[in-house]
Amino acid sequence: METRTLMWIVFNVAVLGLLFLDLKVFNRKAHEVKLKEASLWLLMWVSLALAFGIGVYVKLGDQKALEFLTGYLIEYSLSVDNMFVFIMIFAYFAVPVRCQPRVLHWGILGALVMRFILIFSGVALIERFHWIVYVFGELLIYTGIKMVGAHEEKMDPGKNPVLRLFKKVMPFDNSYVGDAFFVKKSGVWHATTLFACVLVVEASDLVFAVDSIPAVLAISRDPFIVYTSNIFAILGLRSLYFVLSSVMGL
């Protein structure tokens, strides 16, 4: 088996295993994540990313290792904006603190799938249509200008187009039923407010992915490097959120 193929297999198996342990073992019961717990998880995810970078250095060389580390740092730094968006979303839906880890866990799972699709689509487009690089460049410039010139804007998650579309397909129950996403009433399934929150989180993840992936593709066009650097950054987002929210006293 080729080294690259083996690394793909090991990486994906390891990520799925860690997510399973996170959801089914360490966070099986809904609870409030305190600063100490969040800090330990954050340290673990960062350590795993650095260890993986060493593995890339050993197996693929210093150039690929540098691309991985650069992509990881860029993605992680750009993800700070996500944290404040999550804070606004949770405040809007008045999500109980003990339910927030569950929302972010499923948000991360959705983000992993979206990143996989967007990254491989982006690499394929660049390989087939070289001029698409300029489109990505213009997107990065636009994103940079938007970040520099951003003002205080009121966010209204209730008007999210994904949420509004889903409400046309399935009835919603505007309440919390424990940590359930769906509840059956009068023989009809209704989505809960917690599920509405997940949908808005997923939609925001998609927007951030469109903004950040071109930046990583400017560093490397190797799908393995771009994907793994993105995934490691995403895996640490939930812990980073709870560290920031604890420090801010939220």
Side-chain angles (χ1 to χ4, degrees), residues 5-246:
T5 303
L6 180 61
M7 293 184 74
W8 270 110
I9 295 174
V10 171
F11 176 77
N12 285 299
V13 170
V15 168
L16 292 175
L18 289 168
L19 289 174
F20 177 81
L21 289 174
D22 186 13
L23 182 64
K24 296 298 183 180
V25 179
F26 299 110
N27 294 291
R28 188 174 183 178
K29 294 183 179 180
H31 68 286
E32 180 181 352
V33 179
K34 300 291 187 179
L35 178 60
K36 181 179 179 181
E37 179 184 351
S39 299
L40 289 174
W41 274 103
L42 181 60
L43 178 61
M44 185 201 75
W45 288 122
V46 172
S47 298
L48 285 175
L50 295 177
F52 185 83
I54 294 173
V56 172
Y57 173 79
V58 172
K59 294 294 184 180
L60 302 179
D62 56 352
Q63 180 61 35
K64 294 297 182 183
L66 180 60
E67 291 176 4
F68 169 81
L69 182 60
T70 305
Y72 173 71
L73 292 175
I74 288 176
E75 182 63 28
Y76 218 177
S77 62
L78 291 174
S79 297
V80 174
D81 281 346
N82 296 42
M83 304 299 99
F84 297 102
V85 171
F86 292 160
I87 289 172
M88 288 188 288
I89 293 173
F90 286 149
Y92 177 87
F93 289 105
V95 180
V97 175
R98 66 182 186 84
C99 293
Q100 292 179 7
R102 178 172 169 79
V103 172
L104 291 179
H105 182 92
W106 288 102
I108 286 172
L109 286 177
L112 295 181
V113 176
M114 287 188 288
R115 296 299 172 106
F116 182 87
I117 295 172
L118 289 174
I119 287 171
F120 277 85
S121 298
V123 172
L125 284 172
I126 290 175
E127 290 181 348
R128 186 165 184 179
F129 307 106
H130 186 266
W131 53 265
I132 206 76
V133 173
Y134 301 105
V135 176
F136 286 160
E138 291 176 359
L139 181 60
L140 284 174
I141 294 173
Y142 169 76
T143 301
I145 294 174
K146 185 174 65 174
M147 291 176 65
V148 172
H151 299 285
E152 291 291 332
E153 297 180 0
K154 290 186 177 180
M155 180 183 180
D156 188 357
K159 294 182 180 180
N160 184 276
V162 175
L163 178 59
R164 294 172 69 179
L165 178 62
F166 194 85
K167 283 185 174 181
K168 294 180 180 180
V169 178
M170 186 173 193
F172 268 75
D173 178 73
N174 296 319
S175 64
Y176 287 97
V177 185
D179 59 354
F181 289 145
F182 302 95
V183 61
K184 199 170 187 178
K185 289 191 173 183
S186 302
V188 179
W189 283 102
H190 291 66
T192 65
T193 301
L194 196 63
F195 185 73
C197 184
V198 171
L199 283 180
V200 177
V201 167
E202 296 286 12
S204 67
D205 281 338
L206 178 60
V207 173
F208 281 114
V210 172
D211 283 345
S212 63
I213 286 178
V216 184
L217 287 174
I219 303 300
S220 175
R221 296 179 191 175
D222 186 328
F224 181 76
I225 298 299
V226 177
Y227 179 70
T228 53
S229 60
N230 262 257
I231 297 310
F232 268 115
I234 291 172
L235 289 174
L237 282 186
R238 192 177 70 170
S239 302
L240 179 60
Y241 167 80
F242 287 113
V243 168
L244 291 176
S245 62
S246 296

